[in-house]
Short mmCIF file of all heavy atoms in Angstrom, two decimals:
data_model
loop_
_atom_site.label_atom_id
_atom_site.label_comp_id
_atom_site.label_asym_id
_atom_site.label_seq_id
_atom_site.Cartn_x
_atom_site.Cartn_y
_atom_site.Cartn_z
N GLN A 54 -4.29 -4.57 -9.12
CA GLN A 54 -2.93 -4.53 -8.58
C GLN A 54 -2.02 -3.74 -9.50
O GLN A 54 -1.11 -3.05 -9.05
CB GLN A 54 -2.40 -5.94 -8.36
CG GLN A 54 -2.23 -6.72 -9.65
CD GLN A 54 -1.68 -8.11 -9.48
OE1 GLN A 54 -1.42 -8.57 -8.38
NE2 GLN A 54 -1.47 -8.79 -10.60
N ALA A 55 -2.26 -3.82 -10.82
CA ALA A 55 -1.42 -3.14 -11.79
C ALA A 55 -1.71 -1.64 -11.82
O ALA A 55 -0.81 -0.83 -12.04
CB ALA A 55 -1.62 -3.72 -13.19
N GLU A 56 -2.95 -1.26 -11.59
CA GLU A 56 -3.30 0.16 -11.62
C GLU A 56 -3.09 0.81 -10.26
O GLU A 56 -2.18 1.61 -10.07
CB GLU A 56 -4.75 0.33 -12.07
CG GLU A 56 -4.95 0.03 -13.54
CD GLU A 56 -6.33 0.42 -14.04
OE1 GLU A 56 -7.05 1.14 -13.33
OE2 GLU A 56 -6.68 -0.01 -15.15
N VAL A 57 -3.91 0.45 -9.31
CA VAL A 57 -3.82 1.07 -7.98
C VAL A 57 -2.55 0.63 -7.27
O VAL A 57 -1.88 1.44 -6.62
CB VAL A 57 -5.07 0.74 -7.14
CG1 VAL A 57 -4.92 1.24 -5.71
CG2 VAL A 57 -6.30 1.36 -7.78
N GLY A 58 -2.17 -0.63 -7.43
CA GLY A 58 -0.94 -1.11 -6.78
C GLY A 58 0.28 -0.38 -7.28
O GLY A 58 1.14 0.04 -6.49
N SER A 59 0.38 -0.20 -8.59
CA SER A 59 1.53 0.53 -9.15
C SER A 59 1.55 1.97 -8.68
O SER A 59 2.60 2.51 -8.34
CB SER A 59 1.49 0.47 -10.68
OG SER A 59 1.69 -0.84 -11.13
N ALA A 60 0.39 2.61 -8.67
CA ALA A 60 0.31 4.01 -8.22
C ALA A 60 0.71 4.13 -6.76
O ALA A 60 1.46 5.05 -6.38
CB ALA A 60 -1.09 4.56 -8.45
N SER A 61 0.23 3.22 -5.93
CA SER A 61 0.58 3.23 -4.52
C SER A 61 2.07 3.00 -4.32
O SER A 61 2.72 3.66 -3.50
CB SER A 61 -0.23 2.17 -3.77
OG SER A 61 0.09 2.14 -2.41
N CYS A 62 2.61 2.09 -5.09
CA CYS A 62 4.04 1.77 -5.06
C CYS A 62 4.88 3.01 -5.41
O CYS A 62 5.83 3.36 -4.71
CB CYS A 62 4.27 0.63 -6.06
SG CYS A 62 5.96 0.23 -6.43
N MET A 63 4.51 3.66 -6.50
CA MET A 63 5.24 4.85 -6.94
C MET A 63 5.10 5.98 -5.93
O MET A 63 6.07 6.69 -5.64
CB MET A 63 4.72 5.28 -8.32
CG MET A 63 5.04 4.28 -9.42
SD MET A 63 4.13 4.55 -10.95
CE MET A 63 4.76 6.13 -11.45
N ALA A 64 3.90 6.14 -5.37
CA ALA A 64 3.68 7.19 -4.37
C ALA A 64 4.50 6.94 -3.12
O ALA A 64 5.08 7.87 -2.55
CB ALA A 64 2.20 7.29 -4.02
N ALA A 65 4.58 5.69 -2.68
CA ALA A 65 5.35 5.37 -1.47
C ALA A 65 6.81 5.75 -1.66
O ALA A 65 7.43 6.36 -0.77
CB ALA A 65 5.22 3.89 -1.14
N GLY A 66 7.37 5.41 -2.81
CA GLY A 66 8.76 5.79 -3.09
C GLY A 66 8.93 7.30 -3.13
O GLY A 66 9.91 7.85 -2.61
N ALA A 67 7.97 8.00 -3.73
CA ALA A 67 8.02 9.46 -3.82
C ALA A 67 7.94 10.10 -2.44
O ALA A 67 8.65 11.07 -2.15
CB ALA A 67 6.90 9.97 -4.72
N ILE A 68 7.10 9.56 -1.58
CA ILE A 68 6.96 10.10 -0.22
C ILE A 68 8.28 9.96 0.53
O ILE A 68 8.71 10.90 1.22
CB ILE A 68 5.81 9.39 0.53
CG1 ILE A 68 4.48 9.75 -0.11
CG2 ILE A 68 5.83 9.75 2.02
CD1 ILE A 68 3.33 8.83 0.29
N VAL A 69 8.93 8.82 0.41
CA VAL A 69 10.23 8.63 1.06
C VAL A 69 11.23 9.65 0.56
O VAL A 69 11.95 10.28 1.34
CB VAL A 69 10.74 7.19 0.86
CG1 VAL A 69 12.20 7.06 1.29
CG2 VAL A 69 9.88 6.21 1.65
N GLU A 70 11.29 9.84 -0.75
CA GLU A 70 12.19 10.84 -1.33
C GLU A 70 11.88 12.23 -0.78
O GLU A 70 12.77 12.95 -0.35
CB GLU A 70 12.07 10.85 -2.86
CG GLU A 70 12.81 11.99 -3.54
CD GLU A 70 14.32 11.89 -3.45
OE1 GLU A 70 14.85 10.77 -3.46
OE2 GLU A 70 14.99 12.95 -3.38
N ALA A 71 10.61 12.58 -0.75
CA ALA A 71 10.20 13.91 -0.27
C ALA A 71 10.54 14.09 1.21
O ALA A 71 10.82 15.20 1.66
CB ALA A 71 8.71 14.11 -0.49
N ALA A 72 10.53 13.01 1.96
CA ALA A 72 10.83 13.06 3.40
C ALA A 72 12.33 12.98 3.68
O ALA A 72 12.74 12.98 4.84
CB ALA A 72 10.09 11.94 4.12
N GLY A 73 13.15 12.91 2.63
CA GLY A 73 14.59 12.90 2.83
C GLY A 73 15.19 11.52 2.98
O GLY A 73 16.35 11.38 3.36
N GLY A 74 14.42 10.48 2.67
CA GLY A 74 14.94 9.12 2.77
C GLY A 74 15.91 8.79 1.66
O GLY A 74 16.04 9.54 0.68
N CYS A 75 16.60 7.69 1.81
CA CYS A 75 17.59 7.25 0.82
C CYS A 75 16.93 6.34 -0.22
O CYS A 75 15.81 5.88 -0.03
CB CYS A 75 18.75 6.54 1.51
SG CYS A 75 18.30 4.95 2.26
#
Side-chain angles (χ1 to χ4, degrees):
Q54 64 179 2
E56 289 189 13
V57 173
S59 294
S61 179
C62 170
M63 293 166 65
I68 293 164
V69 169
E70 171 68 35
C75 67

